[in-house]
Amino acid sequence: MRLVKVGIASVNTTVGAFVANTDRALTLAKRMAEDGVTVGVFQEQLIAGYPAEDMVQWQGFIDRQWPELERFARETAALPSVFVVGVGVAFQGQRLNCAAVVAGGRILGLVPKEKLPTYSVFYEARTFGRGRPGMAEVHRGVPLGDYIFRFDFGVVAPEVCEDIWSADGPMRRRTYSGAELVVNLSASPFRLGFVETRRELIATRSADHQCTIAYCNAVGSNDGLIFDGGGFLNQNGRHVMETPRFQQGYAAAVVDLDRTLRLRGEATTWRVDRDDWLARGGQGTTELDCTGAVATRREALTYPVPAHRSFFLPAPDKRRPAREALCEDILDALSLGVGDYFEKTRAFKVLGIALSGGRDSLLTLLIAHRYARRVRPQDPGSLLQAFYMPSRYSSDSTRDAAETIARELGVPFQVVSIDEAFERERAVARQMLGGAPVTPITEQNIQARLRAQRMWNWSNSCGGLFLQTGNMSEKSVGYTTIGGDLMGALAVIANVPKTVVMYLLDYLLETTGYEGIRKVLAKPAGPELAHNQVGEEELMPFPILDACFYLYAGEKLTPAEMVKALTSMFPEVELARLASYVDKFVRLFQQSIYKWVQSPLALHIGNLDLDRERALQLPVVTGSEWMRGGA
């Protein structure tokens, strides 16, 4: 047996906080060594924090990482473990996103990332250079390139994030060259349901390449990107361990690398593929002999037996029901996003919400309270402030709902009427129009803008983080006010569809029993900026609106194709009505791009987000002639 204990860490880093990031990693590295870990794996861009984006163009931002990497090596010199950490280096005019192998007080090698994603939320090819097969350079006296590393326990192949997502990535040539343990350093943002995709991918790569894979992922939030952690250890396609998500820390498990080698020998397909690859002139990876760098201590490791003490029977199923998993993942991700933004910016002292008595602001409050409950379990309400700002159109029921949930959560609650200010602003607008009446939509917008202005005034005066509460569905069709409810310092649910908002509130009502939630859900959703407003009556049923958004912005269907898809999804709705909904959605969406590009920074939880800088990059000014014609 060749037993190896692999530790997989997730560190909550802050971009540019090199010393603090390294300190956190050192704390975990020392704990891992005490726990008998042989190989400790840390995430992509550990020292710099991720995503640094254009910060890497500052030479000082890159150069300052190296002393911290040296400090990490120096302070782990006495530990009988090998560590792999993420770092950025500047080499011959390029910035390289590297995995650094550290042991015995030395930096043994640097392996650059080869696959640089430039899609969705990623912009790496804009700033980073690529590693390449056969690369063999030296940086500051350290080997830099396409290397694998031999230690007294076996051969390790480092790689970085996107490298594992390509079927033609470096893993193939490195395992064909003798690598047994592949360590992947990632900073993969949370996306709804994506953890299953990661789990399946890692199992597939591990089986295809007949190797053991340790996959490490970042945790925490920087700007609008949320990282959920959740590392994996998989041996030749068999799941071994998954690390906890949404929390900093590490987990470790033992594998027998002789098993990996044995299964590789038994896999005739793998051997034939390797022979064919070599015959075609496949370029191998250079092995660095690091056996003298560190003497690992593995004598106390025990064979990895199942906790339920059976190699044949299934382990107890600890998976959460699908509904619970979906809702808890979203709530955990968003509360982590709110909390890290609040803490890491170091600009705020309290969280503020304009609580309307409606669904969106209610969910935003519950998410913020979830964060506050984690950091101040004895008095979470002390981190929050809620304001109810009624006008003549506000109902007693929404005020009662807002007041009820604030009381149940222990959140300070103030009622500040805007009715008098609304009257004044409407009169001023009429004066500016030469006495002509203002339009009904202007009257609605005046109310929304008054509320936003007062929240900004509060924020400026007390260091409050003004949370924007709008959802993705209404934002996509411009059912929002520039300078009003579209405004805030951080948009918490701006990438959450309205149907998901309602689904989450139903779940929270069941799990918490808050009367305030029940009171909000008892009333049809509407902004209360005019008499008897109901959102679905002014727009369309929210399930159809969300379907239109997905088909148009996600699947990139034309309006005619959307109608065909919707007839299958909603056969109970007549064709003409569905067609009118599609026309309305597309028209409103195109006309509203200018609005949502002005919205605040938003938290990302899916692949389909309204964020022109990261996800859905659309021109503000565009014609619609291309949409006409056949499907």
Side-chain angles (χ1 to χ4, degrees):
M1 290 185 293
R2 209 157 24 106
L3 302 184
V4 174
K5 191 168 189 177
V6 180
I8 300 174
S10 292
V11 179
N12 192 336
T13 61
T14 300
V15 173
F18 298 167
V19 174
N21 295 341
T22 305
D23 285 344
R24 290 183 176 217
L26 282 167
T27 298
L28 292 178
K30 291 168 184 176
R31 283 174 49 196
M32 281 194 259
E34 291 172 2
D35 194 24
V37 164
T38 314
V39 181
V41 188
F42 290 90
Q43 69 226 38
E44 176 182 16
Q45 290 294 292
L46 168 76
I47 293 174
Y50 185 87
E53 299 181 333
D54 285 0
M55 290 295 296
V56 301
Q57 296 178 4
W58 271 258
Q59 187 67 29
F61 188 88
I62 290 291
D63 289 345
R64 183 66 184 83
Q65 294 179 50
W66 192 260
E68 289 306 308
L69 180 62
E70 290 181 319
R71 180 167 73 92
F72 182 92
R74 191 167 57 250
E75 295 191 21
T76 58
L79 304 182
S81 307
V82 175
F83 298 102
V84 188
V85 303
V87 66
V89 301
F91 180 76
Q92 295 182 350
Q94 296 192 82
R95 278 80 167 107
L96 299 174
N97 183 351
C98 294
V101 180
V102 177
R106 295 167 50 203
I107 304 164
L108 302 175
L110 298 161
V111 179
K113 187 174 183 176
E114 295 185 10
K115 307 293 182 179
L116 301 182
T118 305
Y119 61 87
S120 186
V121 299
F122 306 106
Y123 280 91
E124 290 191 25
R126 170 183 169 88
T127 51
F128 282 109
R130 302 173 186 273
R132 63 183 188 277
M135 183 179 184
E137 306 284 355
V138 176
H139 176 70
R140 297 177 184 251
V142 175
L144 164 69
D146 181 20
Y147 294 114
I148 56 178
F149 301 78
R150 177 172 292 279
F151 292 96
D152 59 6
F153 56 83
V155 183
V156 177
E159 64 177 30
V160 183
C161 200
E162 190 77 5
D163 290 348
I164 202 173
W165 291 92
S166 172
D168 193 32
M171 191 182 301
R172 179 171 65 171
R173 68 174 181 274
R174 289 172 185 165
T175 52
Y176 283 168
S177 299
E180 302 161 302
L181 174 61
V182 176
V183 294
N184 182 279
L185 284 58
S186 282
S188 181
F190 171 79
R191 281 162 280 179
L192 205 52
F194 203 62
V195 65
E196 295 296 336
T197 303
R198 287 186 199 140
R199 184 182 291 114
E200 292 169 8
L201 172 80
I202 291 159
T204 299
R205 293 283 182 267
S206 180
D208 286 346
H209 299 292
Q210 288 299 314
C211 62
T212 299
I213 294 178
Y215 171 90
C216 172
N217 193 31
V219 72
S221 181
N222 283 306
D223 288 0
L225 293 186
I226 302 164
F227 301 90
D228 54 328
F232 295 94
L233 184 61
N234 190 294
Q235 186 172 43
N236 298 68
R238 186 176 76 180
H239 175 76
V240 177
M241 176 185 71
E242 180 172 348
T243 68
R245 297 168 68 212
F246 301 110
Q247 58 182 275
Q248 179 172 280
Y250 83 95
V254 174
V255 292
D256 180 5
L257 287 184
D258 276 344
R259 180 176 185 271
T260 286
L261 216 55
R262 175 178 61 79
L263 291 174
R264 183 174 288 182
E266 293 175 2
T268 55
T269 301
W270 184 87
R271 299 202 316 269
V272 168
D273 287 347
R274 180 180 182 274
D275 290 343
D276 289 345
W277 180 78
L278 290 170
R280 293 195 306 271
Q283 184 177 18
T285 299
T286 300
E287 178 182 290
L288 299 180
D289 186 355
C290 302
T291 52
V294 62
T296 59
R297 298 173 189 165
R298 294 173 289 116
E299 59 277 0
L301 299 181
T302 57
Y303 192 79
V305 296
H308 64 297
R309 296 193 293 184
S310 174
F311 291 106
F312 301 101
L313 298 176
D317 190 352
K318 297 180 180 179
R319 291 174 298 179
R320 299 174 295 180
R323 184 165 187 254
E324 178 187 342
L326 172 76
C327 293
E328 290 294 331
D329 276 1
I330 296 174
L331 295 168
D332 280 344
L334 293 176
S335 63
L336 179 62
V338 169
D340 275 10
Y341 188 84
F342 178 72
E343 294 177 11
K344 292 179 180 181
T345 53
R346 305 183 306 281
F348 307 107
K349 300 174 183 177
V350 64
L351 297 153
I353 297 173
L355 198 59
S356 68
R359 289 158 173 77
D360 296 336
S361 62
L362 169 62
L363 180 59
T364 304
L365 175 65
L366 291 167
I367 290 166
H369 186 267
R370 190 183 184 96
Y371 156 68
R373 194 174 61 224
R374 175 167 57 84
V375 295
R376 291 191 185 176
Q378 303 303 318
D379 187 19
S382 62
L383 263 182
L384 299 161
Q385 176 69 60
F387 299 92
Y388 180 75
M389 292 178 274
S391 73
R392 64 198 61 186
Y393 303 113
S394 303
S395 65
D396 292 339
S397 61
T398 53
R399 173 172 175 160
D400 180 43
E403 198 166 11
T404 299
I405 191 64
R407 183 174 61 252
E408 289 178 302
L409 297 177
V411 174
F413 179 79
Q414 286 189 45
V415 178
V416 185
S417 174
I418 63 166
D419 214 43
E420 184 179 338
F422 166 60
E423 214 34 88
R424 288 197 306 269
E425 288 302 315
R426 184 168 61 172
V428 170
R430 188 181 299 118
Q431 178 185 342
M432 294 173 71
L433 290 166
V438 298
T439 62
I441 193 67
T442 303
E443 291 190 345
Q444 295 183 38
N445 289 340
I446 288 171
Q447 297 167 69
R449 290 181 180 128
L450 282 169
R451 290 171 177 141
Q453 178 185 335
R454 291 186 175 183
M455 287 302 298
W456 279 125
N457 292 341
W458 167 82
S459 172
N460 293 158
S461 300
C462 71
L465 174 57
F466 171 19
L467 298 179
Q468 197 264 351
T469 64
N471 68 77
M472 183 166 68
S473 308
E474 293 171 357
K475 179 180 174 182
S476 72
V477 292
Y479 198 60
T480 185
T481 302
I482 293 177
D485 56 306
L486 188 64
M487 297 296 102
L490 179 68
V492 180
I493 62 169
N495 293 309
V496 181
K498 187 73 170 188
T499 50
V500 178
V501 170
M502 295 189 287
Y503 190 84
L504 289 169
L505 289 174
D506 285 339
Y507 170 78
L508 287 168
L509 178 60
E510 292 176 15
T511 54
T512 67
Y514 288 136
E515 179 67 9
I517 301 178
R518 188 194 64 76
K519 289 182 177 181
V520 168
L521 296 180
K523 188 177 185 298
E528 290 195 338
L529 298 171
H531 287 299
N532 301 318
Q533 268 189 308
V534 176
E536 289 186 301
E537 292 178 0
E538 294 192 334
L539 294 170
M540 63 189 73
F542 289 127
I544 295 177
L545 173 56
D546 283 351
C548 285
F549 178 76
Y550 178 84
L551 294 170
Y552 183 70
E555 294 299 314
K556 311 299 190 290
L557 299 188
T558 65
E561 291 170 330
M562 292 168 64
V563 173
K564 286 185 178 180
L566 290 174
T567 55
S568 300
M569 190 171 182
F570 301 100
E572 71 279 8
V573 182
E574 60 183 27
L575 179 62
R577 183 172 292 275
L578 285 176
S580 70
Y581 287 149
V582 168
D583 289 343
K584 184 175 185 178
F585 172 84
V586 173
R587 173 175 53 82
L588 291 175
F589 183 93
Q590 293 295 122
Q591 292 175 355
S592 301
I593 297 174
Y594 85 97
K595 283 190 173 186
W596 51 261
V597 297
Q598 301 180 57
S599 59
L601 180 76
L603 300 178
H604 292 257
I605 62 167
N607 286 320
L608 181 57
D609 289 346
L610 281 178
D611 190 329
R612 192 166 183 252
E613 295 303 315
R614 288 196 181 277
L616 199 60
Q617 299 187 13
L618 298 175
V620 175
V621 180
T622 179
S624 59
E625 288 84 354
W626 63 272
M627 299 182 195
R628 299 168 191 159

